[in-house]
């Protein structure tokens, strides 16, 4: 439940720093280290970012047709920590485990927005999911070995 509420690894969801700060402040029990958690909440409330932009114009005439590409690329350096450890119950009923949470920042319409990313949660989730599916398939096969089990 908390994993979904945090929108970790959700490519479509971006937090405003103030909303994320308020949410984490109310859920301070997630932090493995209380001091690091308090510093993160403070940094989110007082977020500072340096935005560097680069205008890129490319011409490609390799196929005889002139293709032009123009875009503006931004890079943000910010005062948030590169990562922080949180304690999360990934599967309901299991003991909470520590996971590393990283912050991706973007700049849109004059505002900085934050996305939460955790490669370690993805790996652990896939392993736990596969283990549970395998255990259920084994139970089904023990009931009746002639039941066809098809994995997609």
């Amino acid at each position: 439940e908390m994993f979904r509420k945090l929108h970790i690894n959700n490519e479509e969801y971006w937090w405003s720093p103030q909303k994320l700060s308020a949410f984490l402040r109310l859920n301070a029990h997630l932090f493995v280290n209380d001091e690091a958690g308090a510093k993160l909440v403070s940094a989110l409330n007082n977020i500072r970012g340096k935005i560097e932009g680069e205008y890129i114009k490319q011409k490609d005439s390799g196929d005889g047709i002139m293709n032009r590409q123009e875009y503006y690329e931004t890079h943000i350096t910010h005062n948030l920590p590169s990562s922080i450890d949180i304690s999360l119950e990934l599967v309901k009923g299991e003991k909470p485990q520590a996971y590393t949470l990283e912050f991706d920042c973007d700049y849109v319409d004059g505002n900085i927005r934050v996305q939460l990313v955790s490669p370690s949660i993805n790996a652990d989730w896939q392993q736990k999911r596969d283990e549970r599916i395998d255990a259920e398939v084994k139970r089904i096969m023990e009931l009746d070995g002639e039941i066809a089990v098809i994995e997609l």
Side-chain angles (χ1 to χ4, degrees), residues 26-66:
L26 292 174
N27 293 282
H29 65 279
L30 294 172
F31 296 117
V32 171
N33 179 321
D34 292 338
E35 184 179 332
K39 284 182 182 179
L40 172 61
V41 168
S42 177
L44 285 164
N45 277 327
N46 302 298
I47 193 162
R48 299 287 179 260
K50 181 179 179 184
I51 298 140
E52 297 176 21
E54 180 179 1
Y55 176 75
I56 300 169
K57 185 175 184 177
Q58 298 175 333
K59 293 181 184 179
D60 180 21
S61 59
D63 57 1
I65 300 172
M66 187 68 88

Side-chain angles (χ1 to χ4, degrees), residues 115-135:
Q115 196 172 55
L116 303 178
V117 180
S118 178
S120 61
I121 286 178
N122 265 358
D124 199 27
W125 168 248
Q126 289 176 2
Q127 178 186 354
K128 288 177 185 285
R129 180 199 61 206
D130 291 347
E131 287 173 358
R132 292 217 173 193
I133 289 171
D134 291 344

